[in-house]
Amino acid sequence: MKILFYDTKPYDKETFEHQLSQFPGISIDFLKTDISPKTAPLAKGYDAVCAFVSSDLGAATLDVLHACGIKLLLMRCAGFNNIDLETAKRYGITILRVPGYSPEAVAEHAMALALAVNRHLHKSYIKVRENNFSLVGLMGFNFHQKTAGIIGTGKIGAAMAKLCHGFGMKVLAYDIHQNPELDFASYVELDELLSSSDLISLHCPLMDSTYHLINKDTIEKMKDGVILINTSRGGLIKTDDLILGIRARKFFGVGLDVYEEETKNVFEDRSDEILEHSTTSRLLSFPNVVITSHQGFFTQEALDAIAGTTLSNASAYEAGNPISGNIVNP
């Protein structure tokens, strides 16, 4: 099987090439450019393409992939909300993803963001580098004996719940399906979680039912001085409403690894650009907001798992026995 790998970063190539020897029937050509309607024609002559969570896999791109004879789309991530699933189904394109790679990687990053905004680590780091050792403006609060609200208790949400429990926090959870591993957590309705939690962390997929789950109405139901963390999907939060809430001093702090405007920024160096009319720059202007560049997954263990599962998906598909649990559109 010949795979065309889009949007290659050095760590992608290194990790996949390291495991490629275990899959002798697979060859990969790596491209730095991401997939789009303009770059999709490069897939002609290949059996599959490999893309990521920020790739443009709308109808126009899939039209071109179909014309190129592509029948397999390998997603080296868990998310697939960037894919036009109806178009893929119409063309008979199978989509295989990596549903779980390292839940702990994302959960630990969520906790890192929570600790950073709570203890003002981003501010204190800069102050000390300028020989300013004053503690003014750096006071946080103990997580111990506070309440954590976990929205979405799949593998990542469960890992975050366990971390919060380890900090000595009371854990409230909200999900359609209760996770039996979380016997220490109390499942409650969303309104109760919002009004009772000192720390709220989002770990649910982006669907019609969760789009803009955090909005003006739900923000109003939160405690004053709450910490909000999102390492899941940017569309879970209505950014304009979040900004209004920050300006109204609703939040003690906000930590975002994902946000609505991130597509052009993810994994790119834009340090020489002026972000005019940018929601991102507005968020960065607030002293109690920490934004990272979609790096929650970015550990060696997670990258190894992503490469292994993606290559296994390709191999199993070629053998006519795709891994059912990894199929997006059965």
Side-chain angles (χ1 to χ4, degrees):
M1 174 182 286
K2 291 177 60 180
I3 301 172
L4 186 59
F5 194 111
Y6 282 90
D7 194 24
T8 306
K9 299 294 187 289
Y11 45 81
D12 292 319
K13 187 175 182 181
E14 180 181 348
T15 307
F16 272 78
E17 286 186 337
H18 179 71
Q19 298 200 27
L20 201 53
S21 61
Q22 303 172 39
F23 299 87
I26 296 175
S27 64
I28 300 178
D29 286 331
F30 296 93
L31 293 178
K32 289 185 178 181
T33 187
D34 203 353
I35 194 168
S36 68
K38 291 183 178 180
T39 61
L42 298 172
K44 189 171 181 62
Y46 288 86
D47 302 300
V49 297
C50 185
F52 198 55
V53 68
S54 55
S55 301
D56 176 3
L57 293 164
T61 300
L62 295 177
D63 287 344
V64 179
L65 290 180
H66 172 66
C68 292
I70 296 296
K71 290 295 184 182
L72 176 61
L73 172 56
L74 297 165
M75 299 299 294
R76 55 185 189 276
C77 55
F80 52 87
N81 55 281
N82 56 324
I83 307 172
D84 188 320
L85 297 179
E86 288 299 319
T87 301
K89 182 178 181 180
R90 186 168 73 251
Y91 288 143
I93 298 174
T94 299
I95 305 168
L96 292 167
R97 66 179 182 128
V98 184
Y101 30 92
S102 177
E104 293 75 21
V106 182
E108 288 172 12
H109 190 71
M111 181 55 79
L113 283 172
L115 290 169
V117 297
N118 180 17
R119 304 306 296 270
H120 308 288
L121 298 184
H122 56 304
K123 296 168 66 176
S124 60
Y125 172 76
I126 293 171
K127 288 178 68 170
V128 170
R129 284 181 63 87
E130 296 176 349
N131 295 331
N132 180 354
F133 301 97
S134 167
L135 298 183
V136 175
L138 300 182
M139 184 178 292
F141 61 88
N142 288 3
F143 280 168
H144 182 67
Q145 294 188 336
K146 298 299 190 301
T147 299
I150 310 299
I151 299 179
T153 55
K155 291 181 179 179
I156 297 173
M160 181 61 172
K162 291 173 184 177
L163 289 176
C164 293
H165 182 62
F167 270 73
M169 303 184 80
K170 176 184 177 181
V171 179
L172 302 181
Y174 173 75
D175 202 320
I176 296 173
H177 306 288
Q178 296 190 10
N179 191 328
E181 292 182 20
L182 305 182
D183 54 358
F184 55 84
S186 299
Y187 277 86
V188 297
E189 293 300 316
L190 181 60
D191 284 359
E192 181 179 346
L193 183 149
L194 294 172
S195 63
S196 302
S197 299
D198 303 288
L199 165 65
I200 296 174
S201 194
L202 306 180
H203 299 283
C204 47
L206 181 61
M207 305 179 292
D208 289 343
S209 59
T210 60
Y211 179 68
H212 285 174
L213 177 68
I214 303 302
N215 55 53
K216 182 178 182 292
D217 294 335
T218 51
I219 289 171
E220 285 180 353
K221 294 174 182 177
M222 295 179 188
K223 271 186 177 182
D224 290 341
V226 67
I227 289 176
L228 176 65
I229 303 297
N230 188 10
T231 54
S232 189
R233 290 290 178 266
L236 296 175
I237 299 177
K238 187 174 182 179
T239 309
D240 288 341
D241 289 359
L242 175 66
I243 289 172
L244 290 175
I246 295 169
R247 286 178 171 160
R249 293 171 172 77
K250 183 71 174 181
F251 300 97
F252 186 90
V254 175
L256 304 173
D257 191 44
V258 293
Y259 47 95
E260 287 189 292
E261 198 186 57
E262 71 175 322
T263 303
K264 292 183 179 180
N265 300 337
V266 172
F267 316 135
E268 302 300 330
D269 181 358
R270 302 187 66 191
S271 56
D272 291 331
E273 300 179 34
I274 297 174
L275 304 181
E276 297 181 0
H277 311 296
S278 168
T279 301
T280 308
S281 60
R282 290 165 67 197
L283 287 170
L284 288 170
S285 71
F286 297 112
N288 61 338
V289 174
V290 174
I291 297 179
T292 52
S293 186
H294 207 124
Q295 69 184 78
F297 77 101
F298 198 54
T299 66
Q300 186 61 61
E301 292 83 356
L303 289 178
D304 287 341
I306 288 170
T309 301
T310 301
L311 293 170
S312 294
N313 279 340
S315 180
Y317 174 85
E318 187 175 39
N321 188 30
I323 302 169
S324 59
N326 297 351
I327 299 176
V328 172
N329 54 345

